[in-house]
Amino acid sequence: MAIKAKKLIIACDGESASGKSTAAKLISKKYNLFLMNSGLLYRYSSKQILKYQPKNIISFLKNVFKKVSYKKISKQNLHSERISKHVAILAKNKKVREIINRFQKKIIKKNDKICVEGRDIASKILAKNPKYDLAFYFECKLDIASYRRWLDIKKKVSLSEIKKSLKRRTLMDKKRKNSPLIKVKDAVLIRTDKLSKKQVVDRMSKHIDNII
């Protein structure tokens, strides 16, 4: 769908495996928005660190993000359980977050019509300059989120292990000192365990249509 508005910035935040990535992808396709999945940037960082084992991860990542494009990152498979465990710890590092935040800001400034998905988008990345036009916050019951992630990774790890991992990750995201996962006051709550994909898109579309 072509939109008349010159600018449309949407923030999508939520817990791990809450369905935010799928929703962001579907809504970006519908409204012809550039989609940036922030989680992929952190996962790509973990993949590179695990692969090259650098002595100084900060200087290493600064160099990585000088050379890489978002397009290249988005085409990689970054959802292994090994990466998931590593990235939960890496995402707590303030200097790592600063490197990735700068990379995100560059992409946002180049795209007036964009949907940015992650865990600190409305509260940090799009809190100002530029500020989001609309924010969504995604939640999903742990049992359903675990089952979805289990299917995503083709049952390579036990369902109970996935459940433990997701519970640990969400707790770490909410408790971390730097840019914790929070729902901003004006964010629209989307409960993906109670809605089908079509219902999620319809609900989001109703709010988007009201501002464009």
Side-chain angles (χ1 to χ4, degrees):
M1 180 190 288
I3 55 175
K4 291 178 182 178
K6 287 183 179 178
K7 179 178 80 74
L8 179 61
I9 301 175
I10 295 174
C12 292
D13 291 295
E15 299 170 4
S16 195
S18 59
K20 64 185 180 298
S21 297
T22 300
K25 187 185 267 187
L26 292 171
I27 217 72
S28 295
K29 187 176 181 182
K30 180 175 179 179
Y31 290 94
N32 197 26
L33 308 175
F34 183 91
L35 171 64
M36 178 165 61
N37 180 326
S38 301
L40 291 182
L41 305 179
Y42 287 93
R43 286 179 172 275
Y44 181 73
S45 300
S46 279
K47 183 182 179 181
Q48 296 302 98
I49 289 167
L50 288 167
K51 184 178 178 180
Y52 295 105
Q53 299 288 318
K55 287 180 181 177
N56 186 322
I57 64 165
I58 302 306
S59 58
F60 173 75
L61 289 178
K62 279 181 181 176
N63 199 40
V64 164
F65 281 99
K66 275 180 189 173
K67 297 173 181 178
V68 75
S69 69
Y70 179 77
K71 191 175 181 180
K72 182 184 175 182
I73 294 171
S74 67
K75 287 183 176 179
Q76 298 196 33
N77 180 9
L78 300 166
H79 282 281
S80 73
E81 192 59 19
R82 188 177 180 224
I83 289 174
S84 293
K85 285 178 179 176
H86 186 274
V87 77
I89 296 162
L90 185 73
K92 291 163 72 175
N93 188 308
K94 187 180 180 182
K95 288 185 178 179
V96 169
R97 298 196 75 84
E98 285 170 357
I99 293 165
I100 291 175
N101 288 358
R102 283 195 293 272
F103 187 81
Q104 288 172 298
K105 288 280 190 182
K106 277 184 191 175
I107 295 170
I108 292 163
K109 283 176 181 176
K110 289 177 184 173
N111 294 277
D112 292 328
K113 295 173 184 177
I114 188 169
C115 176
V116 188
E117 179 246 306
R119 287 174 172 82
D120 65 345
I121 307 307
S123 62
K124 174 78 175 177
I125 307 302
L126 292 174
K128 60 181 180 180
N129 300 323
K131 182 174 167 64
Y132 58 85
D133 297 305
L134 190 58
F136 294 99
Y137 186 86
F138 294 81
E139 284 184 355
C140 182
K141 280 185 180 176
L142 181 61
D143 286 346
I144 294 170
S146 305
Y147 185 72
R148 286 175 181 166
R149 178 56 58 84
W150 186 56
L151 294 179
D152 282 346
I153 65 164
K154 298 179 171 58
K155 307 177 183 178
K156 289 176 183 174
V157 180
S158 72
L159 183 56
S160 61
E161 182 64 28
I162 295 290
K163 192 173 179 178
K164 270 189 234 168
S165 177
L166 289 184
K167 189 176 182 179
R168 185 169 59 242
R169 177 69 203 267
T170 295
L171 190 65
M172 288 173 83
D173 286 336
K174 289 181 175 180
K175 298 279 186 184
R176 71 174 173 237
K177 188 179 177 182
N178 301 303
S179 301
L181 170 65
I182 58 166
K183 177 182 176 291
V184 295
K185 285 182 181 178
D186 61 345
V188 177
L189 178 63
I190 306 286
R191 289 289 305 270
T192 62
D193 52 341
K194 294 176 181 281
L195 303 168
S196 67
K197 283 182 187 179
K198 185 183 181 302
Q199 287 172 325
V200 167
V201 172
D202 288 348
R203 176 129 198 254
M204 293 174 77
S205 298
K206 193 188 289 184
H207 290 279
I208 294 168
D209 292 342
N210 282 339
I211 66 166
I212 61 175

